[in-house]
Amino acid sequence: MNKKRSNKGFALLAILTGLVLAIVLSFTGTPSAQPKLKVGILHIGSIADAGYNQAHAEGVQVMKKNLPNVELIEVENVPEGADAERVMENMIRQGARLIIPASFGYLDPALRVAKKVSGRQVCPSRGYKLAPNLGTYWASTPEAFYLMGIAAGKTTKTNKLATWSPCPSVFSWRT
C-alpha cells in the first residue's frame, strides 16, 4: 500500500510539473526559443522576514532555478492598495506576463490590473474573486496545523498531544 501511495504521489508530481512546463511553454514558445517568461512578484513585507514573505521569495527562486526561461521582477514591502496596483502596472511595463501578488490584501488591486490588461496572468495568493486572466492559489493548511499541534504537545511536561477540533485550525490543548 505504501508503494501504491508513493506511485500516486509521483504521478501527481509529474502531472504538476507537466502543467507548469506547459504554461511556461505557452508563454515562451518552443523550448529552444530565447524569449523569457518575466514573472513579477509583490511581497507585503521583507523577503528576509523568516516567514511568509521569505517562503514566497524562496519558492520563486526555486522556480527560477528549475525553469531557465524565467526572469524574475521582485518587489518587497509593497503596501496593499493603490501602491500595489502601481507596482503591478510597472511590472507589466517591464514585460511581466505573470504577476504573483503574494498577499490577500492585493486581491482587489490585482483584479483592477487584470481587467486593464490582456495577455497577462495575475495570480494572487488566496481570494474569492476571479476574472478571465486572474486566478488565485493557496495551500491546504489544516494538516500542517495539526502536525504543529502534535509537535507542541510533545514539548509539554506531560508529553500529551493536541487533539483535533471539528473547526479547522483550532486545537484543544492538554497539558
Side-chain angles (χ1 to χ4, degrees), residues 7-20:
N7 288 340
K8 285 182 183 179
F10 180 74
L12 180 60
L13 179 61
I15 290 168
L16 290 174
T17 302
L19 179 61
V20 169

Side-chain angles (χ1 to χ4, degrees), residues 18-143:
L19 179 61
V20 169
L21 189 58
I23 291 169
V24 169
L25 292 177
S26 74
F27 281 120
T28 61
T30 63
S32 61
Q34 291 297 6
K36 291 192 174 228
L37 168 63
K38 286 191 179 181
V39 177
I41 182 166
L42 293 75
H43 301 281
I44 188 73
S46 167
I47 60 171
D49 68 358
Y52 179 81
N53 295 291
Q54 185 170 337
H56 266 96
E58 290 172 0
V60 294
Q61 290 302 322
V62 169
M63 173 186 68
K64 186 178 174 185
K65 178 183 174 190
N66 290 300
L67 299 171
N69 282 344
V70 169
E71 184 179 322
L72 191 59
I73 304 168
E74 195 167 19
V75 181
E76 58 185 315
N77 297 310
V78 179
E80 297 166 334
D83 287 339
E85 197 169 335
R86 281 190 290 275
V87 169
M88 285 184 261
E89 289 169 347
N90 186 37
M91 289 174 168
I92 289 168
R93 281 191 292 278
Q94 293 178 57
R97 300 189 51 78
L98 173 62
I99 307 288
I100 303 171
S103 172
F104 176 77
Y106 294 148
L107 181 59
D108 286 330
L111 184 58
R112 287 191 293 273
V113 169
K115 287 180 178 179
K116 291 180 197 176
V117 298
S118 62
R120 308 290 201 271
Q121 286 299 122
V122 184
C123 300
S125 62
R126 300 179 305 238
Y128 55 94
K129 297 177 182 179
L130 298 174
N133 60 336
L134 182 134
T136 63
Y137 69 94
W138 194 243
S140 177
T141 54
E143 294 84 0

